[in-house]
Amino acid sequence: MMEMESSKTMSGGMTLQNNNGMQGVAVRLSKVTRSFGDVRALSDLDLEASPGEFVVMLGPSGCGKTTALRALAGLEQIDSGAVYIGGKDVTRLPASKRSIGMVFQSYSLFPNMTASANVEFGLKVRGVSGAERRRRAYEMLEMVGLSEQANRYPHQMSGGQQQRVALARALAIKPEVLLLDEPLSALDAKVRANLREQIKQLQREVGITTFFVTHDQEEALSLADRIAVMSNGNLEQFDTPTQVYSSPLTDFVANFVGTVNVFIGTVLDDQIAVVPNVGNFPYVRGSGTPGFGSEAEILVRPEAITVRGDHDGDYLVSDVTFLGSNVRTRVEKGGVTFTVVQGSADVDIVTPGSRVSLDAKGTAILVRPKR
Amino acid sequence: MASIIGAPAKSSGVEGGSNVLRIGKIFRVVVLGVVGLYFIVPVISSARFSFTGSSKGISLSAYSKLFSDPQFWTTLFLSVKIGIGTVILSLVVIIPTTVWVHWKAPKIRRVMEALSLLPLVIPSVVITLGVITSFGSLPNIIMGTPVILALEYVVLALPYTYRTLDSAVQALDIKTLVEAGQSLGASLRKILWWVLLPNLRSGVLGVVVLAFAFCLGEFAVASLLSFTTFAVYLVQIGQTQASEAIAFSLIALVFTWIPLSIVTVVFSRRAGKRYRRGGGVLVASQSITELTELAE
């Protein structure tokens, strides 16, 4: 991997530049709306990324995340709103005039060109001399660890290698913004995990403002500086992975990101909600939180509870899965399933069919009125 | 219970498979042989007749008569000119159309396909009469010159040319390639020239071959529009001189194959060079196979 000396000095308050010559700039989508017939893909979307930030757009299929990315790239016309890159309004600029690098979900390398020629393409378009193009292409391919595959054609490379070349090609033109549209979804699990790490490392070294679209929550949580969770063309929450996971703002975010258990309990006061026979869960009060003493649904992550072997317990163990460092236990009560995840060393030995009790350990992520 | 995972397959099954393969191979050879004879026997018989005619000895008189006939060369050059014009016009019209349909309007692909087949449904005589009545008032630079014939051949060859290129474009992820090019700052012209056309090589080759072959062999429209093309002259000769007509047909066959072979070799060399550089499989043979299939 090429040494990048990522000094990341802030310049002018809006850009972040490293020694590789790439810049991180602020990016803003302002009240962007886009409809396809009767379907509203984006509904007054407001999204802003700081210079050098890694933003992951997360949501189920059809939530509008790819449309938002394509609107940012200039590949999708928007009905209203504006797109700003580095403070400049680029709403009316075609894709070829915006300073963006893009990696697509499907392998988008040009089949008639070698890896090197693919990386050189954007530079050739810009009229860069042959020698400089080759030098830059080698540098980029070395950065993604593929300098030895420079003369290979796309059909001679694996999917992971092709996506790394696509990444090198996107970065070769020194774009202001890097856009990645589900670049890992066509790869197998192991390659995906490796490439994910590489992308994250590369983004940190290069310091370029990056938007990454995915429907994989694990990918989003591990990559993002901030996650934009989207649903039905709306931005549900835009926050750090920790906040999105531990303090979801809406039901959708709570249910979509991570696993969640829904207990019926009571709001004790402005800090504690109680689940009978489980315990007290600290919570953060929001606008939709029921009043004190009211019955409520208390949403709790699997890590916020523990399992205790108890012959008289309320819960019946339905499944125990050993995951290496963790053990996932599923328990049932009154037809409702609850999931508990504990460290392997901490877990009581329980078997499917045995009765257990649950104990509160962490906080509730959301307390909402009972439905 | 012993595991059967990894156990060798039963030998009877392997033998059965081998028999099926052997029978399949014999069947292929027989079918290819019969089809080959079906094509080659008439050509050999024609060649024999052109050299012997009604006499018993071998003679080149039919060929020498043709080669010394100035109208033979005039009609040949006329057909070649019309063929080149038709090929260029077809490429200019069809390449942007198919790319646009696949990129921007994939929903109308079936409609375009159906439209391209219309010349097969409407008799060429009807189309010709339509052209005469509709474009009769066009300036002399088009109407009354071979240009009108080239324009009409572009339409008449559509069922072959459009579908050939359409299949080639379908094999590419046009939308992603175009968008990838755009994101790298390339204009549509550069994307077409540097990315799409090299990847549509076999389709373009198909269009060239089919359009050119169509022009050299087309008789009805040329005759109706009163042009003495190569095919029209062949019919005229055939009405009076049998052995010369057969010699003419064989020459036509050769003249069709020469340009097509040149085009194939040029395309194949480029592809071969590219793949040799990459250390991959040669596609030259693939192109030749494609060409042969198309020509047949």
Side-chain angles (χ1 to χ4, degrees):
Chain A
M1 187 72 66
M2 198 181 87
E3 198 173 331
M4 303 290 285
E5 298 179 58
S6 50
S7 54
K8 295 187 178 179
T9 39
M10 295 289 285
S11 61
M14 287 301 286
T15 62
L16 185 75
Q17 187 167 18
N18 72 358
N19 290 349
N20 196 42
M22 292 196 191
Q23 288 190 332
V25 298
V27 175
R28 186 156 68 94
L29 296 171
S30 174
K31 303 230 170 291
V32 171
T33 301
R34 174 70 168 128
S35 299
F36 297 102
D38 296 336
V39 180
R40 200 146 203 213
L42 294 176
S43 196
D44 286 333
L45 178 70
D46 281 308
L47 191 66
E48 189 166 1
S50 307
E53 193 173 19
F54 197 128
V55 173
V56 173
M57 299 163 90
L58 175 69
S61 297
C63 72
K65 55 189 189 298
T66 295
T67 307
L69 193 84
R70 290 171 60 79
L72 184 49
L75 297 171
E76 197 72 65
Q77 292 286 322
I78 56 174
D79 300 332
S80 62
V83 179
Y84 299 91
I85 295 178
K88 197 172 78 177
D89 186 350
V90 297
T91 314
R92 301 287 158 226
L93 278 186
S96 56
K97 303 284 181 200
R98 299 185 188 190
S99 182
I100 50 141
M102 190 157 178
V103 179
F104 296 82
Q105 179 180 2
S106 53
Y107 308 135
S108 60
L109 295 186
F110 305 134
N112 58 313
M113 298 180 198
T114 60
S116 181
N118 263 284
V119 178
E120 286 178 41
F121 184 85
L123 302 170
K124 190 177 171 186
V125 168
R126 284 162 176 74
V128 177
S129 70
E132 173 59 17
R133 283 203 314 259
R134 283 187 288 278
R135 188 194 67 74
R136 181 87 184 142
Y138 181 81
E139 192 178 290
M140 285 294 122
L141 286 171
E142 195 176 36
M143 190 170 73
V144 296
L146 287 173
S147 55
E148 288 179 5
Q149 324 284 327
N151 292 321
R152 292 206 171 176
Y153 283 90
H155 73 276
Q156 296 169 324
M157 290 187 279
S158 68
Q161 287 175 330
Q162 287 189 51
Q163 287 301 63
R164 278 151 71 195
V165 174
L167 188 61
R169 181 178 70 176
L171 290 172
I173 56 171
K174 296 182 182 175
E176 290 180 319
V177 187
L178 178 64
L179 308 176
L180 302 113
D181 185 8
E182 304 202 36
L184 310 178
S185 59
L187 307 175
D188 63 58
K190 198 173 176 183
V191 178
R192 194 161 59 220
N194 282 336
L195 194 49
R196 189 164 70 196
E197 287 306 311
Q198 284 190 17
I199 288 173
K200 180 68 181 168
Q201 194 182 345
L202 207 62
Q203 193 272 341
R204 283 202 175 126
E205 286 174 353
V206 174
I208 187 172
T209 311
T210 302
F211 284 79
F212 187 109
V213 163
T214 184
H215 58 264
D216 183 332
Q217 46 174 294
E218 191 190 321
E219 213 163 85
L221 292 167
S222 65
L223 281 171
D225 291 329
R226 278 196 290 173
I227 298 175
V229 186
M230 293 183 68
S231 168
N232 294 325
N234 294 304
L235 186 63
E236 295 278 335
Q237 188 169 358
F238 186 37
D239 218 325
T240 62
T242 315
Q243 284 297 103
V244 166
Y245 188 77
S246 59
S247 304
L249 289 182
T250 64
D251 286 1
F252 175 82
V253 178
N255 287 304
F256 187 75
V257 181
T259 307
V260 71
N261 296 300
V262 182
F263 289 99
I264 303 299
T266 312
V267 180
L268 188 64
D269 55 32
D270 61 352
Q271 289 182 346
I272 302 292
V274 185
V275 177
N277 298 328
V278 176
N280 295 348
F281 289 97
Y283 76 98
V284 177
R285 215 170 159 73
S287 56
T289 311
F292 304 152
S294 307
E295 214 172 29
E297 287 184 351
I298 299 161
L299 277 62
V300 178
R301 293 287 185 207
E303 312 82 68
I305 37 180
T306 55
V307 174
R308 174 168 44 87
D310 179 0
H311 293 297
D312 302 321
D314 294 337
Y315 299 87
L316 181 71
V317 177
S318 59
D319 181 45
V320 180
T321 309
F322 180 65
L323 301 169
S325 56
N326 293 321
V327 174
R328 185 182 62 213
T329 311
R330 291 193 201 281
V331 299
E332 285 180 12
K333 183 187 176 187
V336 182
T337 301
F338 301 88
T339 305
V340 183
V341 175
Q342 293 172 267
S344 306
D346 307 328
V347 71
D348 259 12
I349 297 169
V350 292
T351 52
S354 61
R355 298 207 75 83
V356 294
S357 287
L358 300 183
D359 293 322
K361 191 175 85 171
T363 60
I365 56 169
L366 193 71
V367 176
R368 68 189 183 198
K370 191 183 168 195
R371 289 169 180 173
Chain B
M1 190 179 165
S3 168
I4 57 163
I5 296 171
K10 285 181 182 175
S11 56
S12 60
V14 174
E15 279 173 11
S18 174
N19 285 337
V20 169
L21 286 175
R22 200 162 47 238
I23 291 166
K25 196 177 174 184
I26 292 167
F27 181 72
R28 277 201 302 274
V29 169
V30 170
V31 169
L32 277 173
V34 170
V35 173
L37 284 173
Y38 181 77
F39 279 106
I40 205 75
V41 166
V43 176
I44 293 172
S45 303
S46 302
R48 189 172 160 273
F49 182 73
S50 72
F51 287 115
T52 57
S54 52
S55 65
K56 286 186 179 176
I58 290 175
S59 161
L60 292 172
S61 63
Y63 291 92
S64 59
K65 266 189 201 170
L66 277 178
F67 288 135
S68 59
D69 179 0
Q71 208 177 352
F72 169 83
W73 295 106
T74 312
T75 55
L76 176 65
F77 289 134
L78 176 64
S79 286
V80 168
K81 268 197 299 188
I82 294 168
I84 291 170
T86 306
V87 165
I88 292 169
L89 277 172
S90 295
L91 291 175
V92 167
V93 171
I94 297 170
I95 291 175
T97 307
T98 42
V99 168
W100 186 83
V101 167
H102 280 261
W103 175 34
K104 287 286 187 188
K107 283 181 183 170
I108 66 162
R109 219 190 111 229
R110 295 284 166 211
V111 177
M112 293 300 290
E113 211 174 284
L115 284 175
S116 75
L117 290 175
L118 280 180
L120 286 182
V121 183
I122 303 169
S124 52
V125 176
V126 175
I127 294 177
T128 309
L129 289 174
V131 166
I132 292 169
T133 51
S134 305
F135 302 119
S137 57
L138 280 177
N140 282 344
I141 196 168
I142 296 173
M143 203 63 196
T145 71
V147 175
I148 191 70
L149 211 48
L151 287 171
E152 196 164 340
Y153 283 168
V154 170
V155 176
L156 291 174
L158 265 182
Y160 318 106
T161 52
Y162 184 83
R163 288 176 75 84
T164 304
L165 201 63
D166 185 65
S167 303
V169 174
Q170 203 180 351
L172 283 180
D173 186 354
I174 287 279
K175 191 167 184 273
T176 304
L177 291 180
V178 171
E179 289 182 347
Q182 285 182 317
S183 75
L184 292 165
S187 62
L188 283 176
R189 190 175 54 82
K190 281 179 179 165
I191 294 168
L192 186 68
W193 194 248
W194 287 343
V195 179
L196 299 184
L197 282 180
N199 286 303
L200 293 173
R201 196 187 58 255
S202 63
V204 171
L205 177 64
V207 171
V208 171
V209 168
L210 289 169
F212 194 78
F214 180 86
C215 293
L216 280 191
E218 206 287 328
F219 165 77
V221 173
S223 176
L224 277 168
L225 287 174
S226 305
F227 287 100
T228 311
T229 58
F230 202 53
V232 173
Y233 190 51
L234 168 64
V235 174
Q236 288 175 1
I237 293 268
Q239 285 168 350
T240 53
Q241 306 158 65
S243 55
E244 279 82 354
I246 298 296
F248 203 127
S249 305
L250 289 172
I251 291 166
L253 197 66
V254 172
F255 281 162
T256 310
W257 274 94
I258 286 172
L260 302 188
S261 304
I262 291 169
V263 170
T264 310
V265 168
V266 169
F267 271 83
S268 302
R269 272 192 185 165
R270 281 187 182 175
K273 208 168 74 192
R274 177 156 70 78
Y275 274 74
R276 273 196 300 277
R277 273 209 305 265
V281 183
L282 286 169
V283 291
S285 57
Q286 190 186 337
S287 296
I288 290 167
T289 311
E290 284 167 6
L291 173 70
T292 312
E293 285 167 0
L294 288 166
E296 282 173 0

